[in-house]
Amino acid sequence: MNYTLNQLRIFLKVVQNQSVTKASEELHLTQPAVSIQLKNFQDQFEIPLTEVVGRKIYVTDFGKEIAEAAEQILQQVNTIDYKTLAYKGQLFGKIKISVVSTGKYVMPYFLADFLKMHPGVELEMDVTNKNKVVKSLQNNEVDFALVSILPEKMKVEKIDLMQNKLFLVGNMEEDFTKKKKIEDILENRPLLFRENGSGTRQTMERFIVQQDLMISKRMELTSNEAIKQAILAGLGYSIMPLIGIRKEIQNKDLQIIPLKGLPIKTNWSLIWVKGKNHNPAALAYLDYLKKEKEAIIHSKFSWYETM
């Protein structure tokens, strides 16, 4: 046997995701690189670890046992690393954060300098829709979650990071310098919605009810990027967070359509379950945010306040 720690990490990640593709994404490796390491690891065993049926990968009973052993080995390796850093007086540990999809334009800027200051701290960040973010928080799978709408049936604590602004957005085919009613704007093209479970969709629907709007044509897409591309192609309009369309607005590929009641303003908030016992790394991060968030906003998001 001559397997490496890297092969153990890759195999465990494949088992956890039941997918080579998803494992490669989480490991920030190419799919062929993961497949090669998986094969090299398998070659050291006479008994199959996985099997492929159709296009889906399944873990054998033997593979599950090896995965459990791999997880224990990697935990021990992490313990050794942490003890070494602690002996040297450095902060160590892992911070797990679940982020709503549009939050990917926000959260990295509030993490980058902290992680540079503390190289012993590991980050695990999942980007998904609001329902899954809240579920991961409920199941105590993460330390923090970044949301723009607070969960209603959960006791949480929070730090407000910055304002979230949502505008009605269209491409450049029409002139909207003169204000129009939204019903007139949507007469020939649909309003584009995110999927159920999205915080942006929830905000849009709340606005529609508050304004007592009748939306006759609508289309549903599963990501902000898909909606952005649909707007660029002229398929319709949407109410979108400004944070995700900065370049398109500045490049005059998209335009903000003036409309009464807009922008909608919410807050990007980092939340955690009330009473959660944070590890030292998570506690240090909260302290860092309290001290540095205003400087981060001024340094990284000065453009945001002028739009």
Side-chain angles (χ1 to χ4, degrees), residues 76-123:
Q76 291 300 314
V77 170
N78 286 336
T79 299
I80 293 171
D81 292 340
Y82 293 159
K83 286 183 181 296
T84 302
L85 291 168
Y87 190 80
K88 294 164 64 177
Q90 295 182 24
L91 184 67
F92 64 88
K94 180 180 284 189
I95 297 176
K96 297 181 179 180
I97 304 178
S98 189
V99 178
V100 294
S101 54
T102 313
K104 65 176 177 276
Y105 300 107
V106 175
M107 198 69 235
Y109 295 99
F110 288 91
L111 284 162
D113 287 344
F114 176 81
L115 294 175
K116 289 174 185 176
M117 290 164 54
H118 303 290
V121 175
E122 297 178 46
L123 172 66

Side-chain angles (χ1 to χ4, degrees), residues 103-293:
K104 65 176 177 276
Y105 300 107
V106 175
M107 198 69 235
Y109 295 99
F110 288 91
L111 284 162
D113 287 344
F114 176 81
L115 294 175
K116 289 174 185 176
M117 290 164 54
H118 303 290
V121 175
E122 297 178 46
L123 172 66
E124 187 174 304
M125 189 170 77
D126 180 42
V127 180
T128 183
N129 70 28
K130 179 176 175 284
N131 278 359
K132 293 179 180 178
V133 167
V134 172
K135 187 175 180 180
S136 66
L137 204 63
Q138 287 175 327
N139 294 339
N140 200 32
E141 296 170 350
V142 295
D143 300 299
F144 306 110
L146 182 71
V147 297
S148 59
I149 301 175
L150 296 178
E152 296 177 354
K153 298 180 180 180
M154 191 188 313
K155 292 182 179 180
V156 298
E157 298 179 73
K158 69 184 178 80
I159 293 179
D160 291 333
L161 298 185
M162 60 181 285
Q163 196 173 73
N164 180 33
K165 303 176 186 177
L166 297 95
F167 293 86
L168 183 65
V169 180
N171 66 9
M172 303 302 292
E173 292 178 3
E174 295 184 54
D175 181 7
F176 292 103
T177 52
K178 294 182 179 179
K179 289 189 177 181
K180 299 180 180 180
K181 293 182 179 179
I182 191 169
E183 290 89 350
D184 296 333
I185 294 171
L186 299 175
E187 184 177 1
N188 297 316
R189 296 182 187 177
L191 187 63
L192 309 179
F193 287 78
R194 282 284 305 277
E195 79 285 1
N196 279 321
S198 158
T200 299
R201 176 169 178 150
Q202 188 177 342
T203 302
M204 282 178 61
E205 290 178 336
R206 188 176 296 170
F207 172 77
I208 289 168
V209 171
Q210 290 172 346
Q211 299 293 320
D212 194 26
L213 301 175
M214 295 296 294
I215 307 299
S216 58
K217 297 179 181 180
R218 59 171 62 202
M219 185 184 298
E220 183 177 301
L221 299 169
T222 57
S223 72
N224 282 320
E225 185 60 32
I227 287 179
K228 188 193 301 184
Q229 295 302 320
I231 297 172
L232 287 167
L235 287 180
Y237 309 97
S238 189
I239 296 175
M240 298 193 70
L242 176 62
I243 198 76
I245 54 173
R246 173 193 177 185
K247 290 183 179 178
E248 287 78 11
I249 296 295
Q250 290 179 336
N251 293 340
K252 300 188 183 303
D253 295 319
L254 295 178
Q255 62 177 313
I256 291 171
I257 302 171
L259 193 67
K260 182 182 178 182
L262 294 178
I264 303 168
K265 295 180 180 180
T266 60
N267 282 311
W268 290 112
S269 300
L270 193 72
I271 65 173
W272 59 96
V273 176
K274 189 172 184 179
K276 182 174 177 61
N277 293 318
H278 288 299
N279 64 39
L283 286 173
Y285 182 58
L286 286 177
D287 186 57
Y288 166 82
L289 281 181
K290 290 172 184 176
K291 294 176 181 176
E292 301 295 335
K293 73 167 189 174

Side-chain angles (χ1 to χ4, degrees), residues 4-129:
T4 66
L5 291 175
N6 188 44
Q7 288 173 346
L8 289 176
R9 289 190 184 95
I10 288 173
F11 175 64
L12 182 59
K13 191 62 70 173
V14 171
V15 171
Q16 291 171 341
N17 286 280
Q18 298 283 296
S19 166
V20 171
T21 301
K22 290 180 180 178
S24 65
E25 290 173 354
E26 290 192 15
L27 292 165
H28 304 291
L29 297 171
T30 64
Q31 189 170 330
V34 171
S35 297
I36 289 169
Q37 290 301 319
L38 188 63
K39 180 182 183 302
N40 291 341
F41 187 60
Q42 172 65 78
D43 288 345
Q44 298 178 71
F45 300 91
E46 295 181 2
I47 304 171
L49 300 171
T50 61
E51 56 185 1
V52 178
V53 179
R55 304 182 74 176
K56 185 173 177 60
I57 189 169
Y58 294 89
V59 183
T60 65
D61 289 340
F62 177 66
K64 291 175 183 177
E65 291 188 19
I66 297 300
E68 289 178 9
E71 187 170 18
Q72 293 174 9
I73 292 169
L74 292 171
Q75 286 175 349
Q76 291 300 314
V77 170
N78 286 336
T79 299
I80 293 171
D81 292 340
Y82 293 159
K83 286 183 181 296
T84 302
L85 291 168
Y87 190 80
K88 294 164 64 177
Q90 295 182 24
L91 184 67
F92 64 88
K94 180 180 284 189
I95 297 176
K96 297 181 179 180
I97 304 178
S98 189
V99 178
V100 294
S101 54
T102 313
K104 65 176 177 276
Y105 300 107
V106 175
M107 198 69 235
Y109 295 99
F110 288 91
L111 284 162
D113 287 344
F114 176 81
L115 294 175
K116 289 174 185 176
M117 290 164 54
H118 303 290
V121 175
E122 297 178 46
L123 172 66
E124 187 174 304
M125 189 170 77
D126 180 42
V127 180
T128 183
N129 70 28

